[in-house]
Amino acid sequence: LVPTILGARRFWKAVSPAKAWGAILLRSAVIVLLAVAVSHPTFVKRGQGLSLTVIADRSASVPVRLRDQSERWLHEAGNTKKPEDRVGTIVVAADSEILSRPETNAVVPEALNYNGDANATDLASALRLALSIAPKDTANAVLLVSDGNENRGNLLKEAEAAAANGIPVHVLPLEYE
């Protein structure tokens, strides 16, 4: 803006003071608008709270007793969230299914029913799905509830992608003999 004002001083004698100031203000406004346009401003509205996506393993490798215990625990834990927090639920075996998206009024269902093929486990696809439905306006986290017996996909690769996006993956192992 300084060169614009100094350059305009040469022509102040040729025009009236009102026209000179008007020209300076118009040129300055154009320069400021161009600078703002080049800087690509963005306005981001950040929400409060945390969005947690629960991934529950429903494959045949998880004993029924552990499935029932984890369902009860997840339902109780999901109902103790703060009002600004969000919770979503995904069940997984051979394929992944979204039971609920991370929303403020969503809860972990009492029954985490899976209707697909339970003879395989693809935890990587479930984590990929959880990352895809994660809201952009809150902090995000994933809770993986599984016995860890994966026979499809590459969970470690997807976990690295989650870490690269700043999304922590917490694991609640279902242990049994």
Side-chain angles (χ1 to χ4, degrees):
L1 293 176
V2 172
T4 301
I5 294 170
L6 293 177
R9 289 183 66 192
R10 293 184 297 161
F11 302 106
W12 278 10
K13 304 276 188 208
V15 294
S16 69
K19 283 186 181 182
W21 281 110
I24 289 173
L25 290 176
L26 183 62
R27 289 176 184 154
S28 298
V30 169
I31 290 171
V32 167
L33 290 175
L34 286 173
V36 169
V38 169
S39 69
H40 299 289
T42 57
F43 299 101
V44 178
K45 181 182 177 190
R46 292 280 178 203
Q48 297 294 320
L50 172 72
S51 293
L52 176 69
T53 304
V54 176
I55 300 173
D57 187 348
R58 296 292 145 223
S59 63
S61 67
V62 178
V64 175
R65 178 182 57 83
L66 277 179
R67 275 191 242 164
D68 293 343
Q69 285 177 350
S70 67
E71 282 180 5
R72 281 192 301 275
W73 184 84
L74 287 170
H75 179 69
E76 290 172 12
N79 289 334
T80 60
K81 66 183 182 67
K82 295 177 184 175
E84 65 271 8
D85 291 342
R86 303 173 186 181
V87 65
T89 311
I90 296 174
V91 290
V92 62
D95 297 310
S96 304
E97 295 178 7
I98 299 173
L99 296 184
S100 64
R101 293 184 175 275
E103 295 175 352
T104 306
N105 56 357
V107 295
V108 177
E110 287 186 42
L112 301 175
N113 297 325
Y114 177 75
N115 299 320
D117 179 17
N119 293 322
T121 307
D122 189 359
L123 298 175
S125 71
L127 184 53
R128 193 176 322 112
L129 184 60
L131 295 177
S132 71
I133 65 170
K136 304 292 185 231
D137 62 342
T138 62
N140 291 289
V142 175
L143 174 62
L144 176 62
V145 182
S146 174
D147 61 355
N149 292 330
E150 176 185 36
N151 54 14
R152 289 187 187 171
N154 186 348
L155 180 61
L156 183 58
K157 179 180 170 187
E158 295 302 324
E160 289 171 353
N165 287 313
I167 299 176
V169 179
H170 305 284
V171 178
L172 177 62
L174 300 176
E175 297 176 346
Y176 56 93
E177 292 183 20

